[in-house]
Amino acid sequence: MMRQIYLSSALATALLATPATADTTLQLVEVITSPQRTEVLEGMIKKFEAAHPGVTVEVTSLPWGQAFEKLATMVQGGQIPDVVEMPDRWLALYAGNDQLVDLGPYMQSWDGAAELNERAVQYGSYVRDTMYMIPYGFYLRAMFWNKKLFEQAGLDGPPETLEEFVADSAAISKLEGKYGYCLRGGTGGANGYVMMMANMMGHDDYFDAEGNSSFASPEAVKGLQLLVDMYQQGSVPRDSVNWGFNEIVAGFYSGTCAMLDQDPDALIAIAERMDKDDFAVAPMPLGPAGKSFPTIGYAGWAAFKASAHPEESWQLIAHLSSRESNLEWAKFVGVIPIHKGAEQDPAFQGEQFAGWFTEMNDARWKPTVMPTYLEEFAYFADVMAVQNGQEMLLGQRTAEEVATEWADYFTAAQKKWLEAR
């Protein structure tokens, strides 16, 4: 665990609200961590401290691979932060346990609320129709593709369908030391599995009216089997069964893999190491029904009810969520920003963002939100999907067995949720 403390020395007029009481210390936990990312957050926090004399923000940066367990341990042990970087899939867990602050009343007197776009409000209040967080941006999957490797394999463009995706991956994998696709079999692999299941089903209705999960349907099983076949037939690196975010991104910019489905945040590392003319971003391939369901996720800032400094916690969230701060953050972190009109900024124009905007504007692509409103989703995403997915890729269990277990798990969770409502 890395802990960094910043002490403000500048005195300035408060930007957001009445200055907090002197000698206030706020604890902020960052969970999607990298050194460069933390450095940007540091700068934003220093501006907040300068505008709020007497306030210190103490930052704890958790390594992403263990962040879910480490934050849970902190909260259970009474080391509850004031403000936390909250991924969408953890929101229902903490909100369901009545541990998060409803930010809605604070937003009523915040000028920045009117500038938030529709998605920011929609997803920030996705759980219980209550604004438990302010998202700082959206992660939407699209397909990075390496132009040079495609050319070497005799291919003239990115795949438009899943059938072409499989065929192109196989063709590229015939090149010595190269693979078609960077599979994410480790932490964070849930998105890829769910996306392929929905694409093969041709819809993202994860439950019927009675709460039964669609994950055990024959079409959903085919989605999982597609990835299993690609792994076992050598279209993806053998060690990708353990790959997380850093490994798949490195696999792409190093030229090991020709394709990578990822969010805009992958552009940070890729743009630093590849010439912009050597890669582009295409929309996700279409499934058999002519539709695709790229997962859209988000993270944001939330406050714990246990905080002894609720007003100051809100002031910090409002500062981080302001148009100026959020645009700076979105450009660096690589997310679609939360304010109206922000996508018109030159930073979001060009070939490298084309795939995401196609998905946002073409009806054949429907960004899908996984059932993160269920308290049980966090455990599925961070534990079950990883363990079961690896068992499936390695041939220890069949795709049908895994899909059935997931369907049973989510059916029980959905019916519990329906009963509670």
Side-chain angles (χ1 to χ4, degrees):
M1 181 182 298
M2 176 175 63
R3 187 176 295 272
Q4 299 164 326
I5 302 175
Y6 309 97
L7 299 176
S8 63
S9 58
L11 297 178
T13 303
L15 296 178
L16 298 170
T18 304
T21 305
D23 301 323
T24 297
T25 299
L26 295 178
Q27 305 285 340
L28 182 148
V29 168
E30 177 191 20
V31 303
I32 309 175
T33 305
S34 74
Q36 300 88 346
R37 199 175 185 276
T38 303
E39 184 177 352
V40 174
L41 181 60
E42 291 175 12
M44 294 164 63
I45 287 174
K46 287 179 180 178
K47 292 177 183 178
F48 171 78
E49 291 178 326
H52 295 78
V55 178
T56 297
V57 179
E58 200 172 281
V59 179
T60 300
S61 298
L62 303 180
W64 174 237
Q66 297 85 41
F68 177 72
E69 293 83 359
K70 286 184 177 293
L71 179 61
T73 299
M74 289 175 63
V75 172
Q76 291 169 4
Q79 296 178 286
I80 304 176
D82 299 282
V83 175
V84 64
E85 179 182 17
M86 180 66 69
D88 55 355
R89 63 179 181 267
W90 301 358
L91 186 62
L93 178 63
Y94 289 102
N97 289 328
D98 198 29
Q99 292 175 296
L100 301 181
V101 174
D102 176 6
L103 301 178
Y106 291 101
M107 293 175 64
Q108 291 178 8
S109 58
W110 178 46
D111 291 341
E115 296 190 74
L116 297 179
N117 62 35
E118 183 179 351
R119 289 185 186 275
V121 176
Q122 175 189 357
Y123 294 143
S125 56
Y126 191 59
V127 176
R128 296 182 176 178
D129 295 322
T130 301
M131 201 78 183
Y132 286 120
M133 73 141 87
I134 297 182
Y136 58 59
F138 308 106
Y139 298 93
L140 179 63
R141 291 295 172 95
M143 188 68 76
F144 289 75
W145 63 287
N146 184 314
K147 295 181 180 180
K148 287 186 174 181
L149 289 181
F150 268 73
E151 183 179 357
Q152 291 174 26
L155 304 170
D156 58 5
E160 296 182 2
T161 66
L162 285 181
E163 185 177 5
E164 292 177 357
F165 168 65
V166 172
D168 291 354
S169 295
I172 294 167
S173 298
K174 293 179 181 178
L175 300 173
E176 186 176 357
K178 305 299 180 182
Y179 299 90
Y181 174 56
C182 288
L183 174 70
R184 187 168 181 171
T187 303
N191 287 54
Y193 296 130
V194 172
M195 196 160 42
M196 286 300 176
M197 295 169 89
N199 288 347
M200 293 302 286
M201 290 192 298
H203 64 80
D204 62 347
D205 298 325
Y206 298 121
F207 303 97
D208 63 19
E210 287 72 40
N212 299 302
S213 171
S214 59
F215 277 1
S217 69
E219 294 78 15
V221 174
K222 288 180 181 179
L224 292 181
Q225 190 64 50
L226 182 149
L227 293 175
V228 172
D229 290 344
M230 290 181 68
Y231 180 81
Q232 295 184 352
Q233 292 169 10
S235 292
V236 304
R238 189 68 184 169
D239 57 349
S240 65
V241 68
N242 294 311
W243 282 8
F245 177 81
N246 291 332
E247 290 81 9
I248 59 173
V249 173
F252 183 78
Y253 66 62
S254 68
T256 300
C257 314
M259 285 183 283
L260 165 71
D261 70 87
Q262 252 308 318
D263 314 308
D265 58 343
L267 274 171
I268 301 170
I270 292 171
E272 287 179 351
R273 295 167 174 84
M274 294 183 70
D275 188 289
K276 66 179 182 179
D277 294 327
D278 291 342
F279 75 97
V281 180
M284 290 297 296
L286 299 168
K291 296 180 179 294
S292 185
F293 301 87
T295 54
I296 186 168
Y298 53 96
W301 308 111
F304 276 96
K305 280 186 174 182
S307 171
H309 310 288
E311 185 64 33
E312 293 87 346
S313 296
W314 160 249
Q315 291 169 8
L316 177 57
I317 290 175
H319 169 78
L320 296 175
S321 305
S322 67
R323 179 179 285 271
E324 179 182 0
S325 295
N326 180 252
L327 193 57
E328 175 187 0
W329 183 252
K331 286 179 180 179
F332 182 82
V333 172
V335 289
I336 299 171
I338 64 173
H339 293 96
K340 297 173 182 175
E343 69 277 3
Q344 300 303 318
D345 188 280
F348 302 104
Q349 305 299 311
E351 188 179 22
Q352 278 67 41
F353 270 90
W356 290 296
F357 287 107
T358 295
E359 293 176 350
M360 296 286 281
N361 298 315
D362 190 316
R364 291 175 295 173
W365 285 270
K366 180 188 176 185
T368 183
V369 179
M370 295 184 289
T372 56
Y373 59 87
L374 298 173
E375 293 180 29
E376 293 82 358
F377 187 83
Y379 180 77
F380 165 77
D382 288 276
V383 180
M384 286 183 68
V386 177
Q387 294 179 354
N388 299 157
Q390 290 173 337
E391 293 168 345
M392 180 175 58
L393 294 172
L394 295 172
Q396 297 167 356
R397 299 181 66 188
T398 67
E400 185 175 6
E401 288 171 344
V402 170
T404 299
E405 180 176 340
W406 291 357
D408 291 344
Y409 178 80
F410 275 116
T411 294
Q414 178 73 357
K415 289 187 175 182
K416 172 185 151 186
W417 182 79
L418 289 172
E419 290 173 3
R421 288 172 65 87

